[in-house]
Amino acid sequence: MQDSQTRTEGGRQRARGVRRLLAARDGATAIEFALVSLPFFGLLFAIIETGLIFFVGQMLDSSTSNVARLIRTGQAQQSGMTQQQMTDEICSGMANLVNCQSNLRLDVRTYSSFGTVSLASPLDGSGNFQSMQYDIGGASDIVVVRAFYTWPTFVTLLPTSSDLPSGDRLLASVSAFRNEPFPW
């Protein structure tokens, strides 16, 4: 009889312990924070990275426009600027926020008319860069300047966060114009 009484009391103590555990609210805030913090910080970092991508895209557009102005006015032709010098010029306008030299590709082509301009993808089927050209043209030529920057992504939560097989993001800037009729 004492044995069954001990078992009954042990069961009651266990039931009281379980009820106390369920009623306790001591660590609820810490557990709730742990559950909410992971998606919150992931979203926060994705927002920050998206903002950086837009900022770098604006810097790339501005720098590409400045380089295009050098070509359009004949300054690049007169000084004999090479593709590397043009790339350096774009990189100088993009601040030290980015690793410009290794991640920037420049493609400059001339066309006979605006109707014949072809903006094919700079990537082949495997996601590798195709060969870039450098032809700044002469007076009154139609020129298309395209700059491509590979942005390394850190937060890959969204399916649209990368568009290269490496997981990086490709930023592009294009400027199409007719060179001025510079006299030389």
Side-chain angles (χ1 to χ4, degrees):
M1 174 135 163
Q2 194 159 344
D3 192 31
S4 66
Q5 201 174 25
T6 306
R7 270 189 260 150
T8 307
E9 234 175 86
R12 285 185 195 140
Q13 285 177 349
R14 268 187 251 126
R16 270 187 253 136
V18 168
R19 272 183 267 157
R20 266 186 297 168
L21 182 63
L22 292 175
R25 301 283 180 218
D26 296 342
T29 303
I31 291 172
E32 288 171 359
F33 178 76
L35 292 173
V36 172
S37 66
L38 188 62
F40 171 74
F41 285 117
L43 183 62
L44 180 67
F45 291 135
I47 290 170
I48 291 170
E49 184 170 35
T50 301
L52 279 173
I53 288 172
F54 280 117
F55 180 66
V56 170
Q58 283 299 116
M59 286 192 314
L60 181 64
D61 281 342
S62 177
S63 296
T64 303
S65 178
N66 291 339
V67 163
R69 187 176 301 114
L70 293 175
I71 296 171
R72 185 175 52 246
T73 59
Q75 294 174 35
Q77 291 87 338
Q78 190 172 19
S79 63
M81 290 182 80
T82 65
Q83 186 172 13
Q84 184 60 48
Q85 288 172 319
M86 287 288 192
T87 302
D88 293 342
E89 190 71 28
I90 290 175
C91 290
S92 70
M94 292 185 63
N96 291 331
L97 181 67
V98 296
N99 182 8
C100 188
Q101 290 298 331
S102 62
N103 292 344
L104 183 72
R105 305 279 193 293
L106 183 64
D107 185 48
V108 182
R109 299 175 191 228
T110 59
Y111 295 92
S112 58
S113 71
F114 283 106
T116 60
V117 172
S118 170
L119 298 178
S121 173
L123 306 173
D124 62 13
S126 304
N128 299 317
F129 276 100
Q130 296 185 36
S131 64
M132 299 286 149
Q133 293 182 13
Y134 183 73
D135 180 10
I136 57 178
S140 300
D141 282 345
I142 295 171
V143 180
V144 175
V145 177
R146 299 190 308 165
F148 303 99
Y149 181 76
T150 306
W151 176 266
T153 54
F154 302 104
V155 181
T156 56
L157 296 175
L158 306 173
T160 59
S161 63
S162 68
D163 48 11
L164 295 175
S166 62
D168 294 339
R169 185 103 173 121
L170 183 63
L171 304 177
S173 179
V174 179
S175 183
F177 52 88
R178 180 182 298 274
N179 282 343
E180 293 177 2
F182 38 84
W184 33 269

